[in-house]
Amino acid sequence: MNLKQMHRISVIWGIVLVLLVTGLTAIGFLYKNKSKDYKEMENKLVNFAEKYVEAKFLYPEENQSLRITLDDLKSNDYLEELKKDDDVCDGYVVVSHDGFVYHYKGFVKCPKYTTKNYEK
């Protein structure tokens, strides 16, 4: 292989790498924009669950957790439904206590999106 061929191969590989990085970055931005509304839905669910737990004084014991379902929030008039466009979603919030702080984690399940680690 002469120097000219090696230069041509390195230019081709450089172009392939640039296209690969650009493509993966674009996919990442598209996914982030797509999941943004669902993340806001998770946060909305957490906000209402915090109010529900505070009003009912349902704090879990240390190293325990509590699940607040969408039905719990609906039946106590905190929330009517979770909806994205025409998709009706389901969800719950897990409240845990580590000895110092209460942690709230929202989970939603929609036809086009499901929070990671969502359990039935």
Side-chain angles (χ1 to χ4, degrees), residues 49 52-53 58 60 64-70 72-73 90-96 105 107 117-120:
Y52 175 79
V53 166
L58 292 173
Q64 299 291 316
S65 64
L66 170 70
R67 182 186 283 217
I68 309 296
T69 65
L70 180 60
D72 294 332
L73 297 173
D90 192 19
Y92 62 90
V93 175
V94 173
V95 184
S96 59
K105 174 67 177 147
F107 297 87
N117 297 325
Y118 180 94
E119 297 176 2
K120 284 187 175 183

Side-chain angles (χ1 to χ4, degrees), residues 34-92:
K34 176 186 169 197
S35 64
K36 180 182 169 189
D37 292 337
Y38 296 106
K39 296 292 182 188
E40 288 175 4
M41 189 182 297
E42 291 169 3
N43 291 333
K44 178 181 176 182
L45 194 60
V46 165
N47 290 336
F48 284 112
E50 287 174 344
K51 292 175 185 175
Y52 175 79
V53 166
E54 186 177 305
K56 300 287 185 180
F57 205 71
L58 292 173
Y59 297 100
E61 297 292 323
E62 187 173 339
N63 298 321
Q64 299 291 316
S65 64
L66 170 70
R67 182 186 283 217
I68 309 296
T69 65
L70 180 60
D71 290 335
D72 294 332
L73 297 173
K74 283 180 180 180
S75 65
N76 287 281
D77 297 324
Y78 283 90
L79 192 61
E80 289 183 22
E81 66 182 355
L82 289 176
K83 197 172 184 181
K84 164 90 168 81
D85 300 328
D86 291 332
D87 295 336
V88 178
C89 304
D90 192 19
Y92 62 90

Side-chain angles (χ1 to χ4, degrees), residues 96-114:
S96 59
H97 184 231
D98 66 5
F100 299 103
V101 179
Y102 291 97
H103 300 278
Y104 293 80
K105 174 67 177 147
F107 297 87
V108 295
K109 181 174 182 168
C110 302
K112 297 176 185 171
Y113 176 85
T114 301

